[in-house]
Amino acid sequence: METVEALTPEWLNRALDAQWSTARRPILSVHAEALGTGQMCDSYRVRVTFADDSTATLVAKLPAADPNSRMAGLLMRAYEKEVRFYQELAPQLAVRTPAALHADIDASTGSFVLLLDDMAPATQGDQLAGCDPDRAVAALGELVNLHAPRWGDPELANIEWLLGDRGAGRDMLIGLLPTMWDGFVDRYHAEVADHVRAAGDVLFSRLASLFADHGPQTVVHGDYRLDNLLFHPYDGSVAVLDWQTCTVGSGPADAAYFVGAGLMADVRRAHEVALFEHYLDSLSAAGVAVDRSECWELYRRGTWGGLLMAVAASMLVQRTERGDAMFMAMASRHARHALDLDAADLLEA
């Protein structure tokens, strides 16, 4: 599927019959409105009206209309990852995420459709505004529900779409990312702070060390930040969205990415150790045997991931005003995080 116009009552009746019994209660009309601020694909809240005049809403995700974002999604296998996550992994994991009502993709073209439960009145976090420590605790607790079930599982190496290319693909990124860094500095030269330049000059000259696998591997989100989380207004529970970057990697690095992106520097510095200990204690309670010293090193190493993401994503997807603000905020926060924790010491020159 390519566009929201293809979500006709006839198509939805076929796609949703197993979930909503639309053969007995057919959908007669459809109304879709753009949803969210994602840049890799296009999302819509879809309201349907049934033959008995009742209504329901769902969320539809489709390929980006912007050709650059669409190409990035195809090259990075982002669309494939999200659809396969819902088809194959979500039922095995404890992490809370919207249920998939329908998921299908042509991986060769990037044409896909994902229909998800609408989790309103839960509201999206705000990457630019950041969050307080209480929300960070809730978010890290939900991250444990993702990491713990497959922690150290050797069978993850057999899931090709999730693991990705640990050889030629990484070599390509190691060769390409320094050019992206140069482009990032050139595009945003007036806004790139000195600490971002200092951190970036270290990171993009030592990428081979960053891309090496370290520590126990598990299923990671890869972009675990506030814009990709929903918070329920009544009980504070968290649901996780946007699985386009899920992969096999280090759990503590996923946690560091969230903390570095989601908390302002002064708040992070005051609460970071307690948040890290909460994450480890929650892993232990879930049955994971953790080496605290090793996990702290993996966490420090993971502080680089957000700066890399900010640079790469800004150079690949459609440029928007909010996107620019978000990428600059991410670059600044993640660079400061890495420098605060002396993470350069973990990257071999």
Side-chain angles (χ1 to χ4, degrees), residues 98-115:
L101 304 172
H102 181 82
D104 193 24
I105 187 169
D106 181 340
S108 64
T109 66
S111 179
F112 82 98
V113 59
L114 188 59
L115 304 181

Side-chain angles (χ1 to χ4, degrees), residues 18 24 57 72 145 147 166 184 198 251:
R24 288 185 288 126
T57 60
N145 290 334
H147 293 165
R166 292 309 207 239
F184 180 86

